């Protein structure tokens, strides 16, 4: 499920974060599902546990996972954190639309661009 690219400019821990989000978007994980442990993911990906731990901290910060001591790590959406992220995306979209208008890109063209970018089934 996770395919890391050690040659990418994106740090490995952020690749894990992004691929976790993609896995959720594709339906591989749902709210409440068990998520691999740091040790398990580290072993499967053949990377340092500290790198995976850093990814877990970021996933927790974004309200995507929760680790329960002695029980495990689970996909657990924190509504407040998720709503904050939605607000951030809204702001980015507004900025993108302003930039698109400045560049002479029509709203229809922007919509087509987002539709193409949103086809994550090919990822």
């Amino acid at each position: 499920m996770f395919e890391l690219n050690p040659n990418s400019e994106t740090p490995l821990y952020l690749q894990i974060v992004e691929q976790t989000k993609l896995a959720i978007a594709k339906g591989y994980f749902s709210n409440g599902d068990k998520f691999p442990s740091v040790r398990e993911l580290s072993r499967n990906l053949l990377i340092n546990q500290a790198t995976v731990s850093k990814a877990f901290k970021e996933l927790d910060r974004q309200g995507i996972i929760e680790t329960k001591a002695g029980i495990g790590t689970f996909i657990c959406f924190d509504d407040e954190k998720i709503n904050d992220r939605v607000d951030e995306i809204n702001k980015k979209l507004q900025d993108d639309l302003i930039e698109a208008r400045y560049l002479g890109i029509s709203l229809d063209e922007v919509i087509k661009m987002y539709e193409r970018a949103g086809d994550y089934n090919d990822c």
Side-chain angles (χ1 to χ4, degrees), residues 60-79:
D60 180 62
R61 186 191 71 76
Q62 291 186 25
I64 298 170
I65 64 169
E66 179 180 35
T67 301
K68 299 176 182 178
I71 299 174
T73 300
F74 299 87
I75 300 293
C76 184
F77 302 133
D78 181 321
D79 290 338

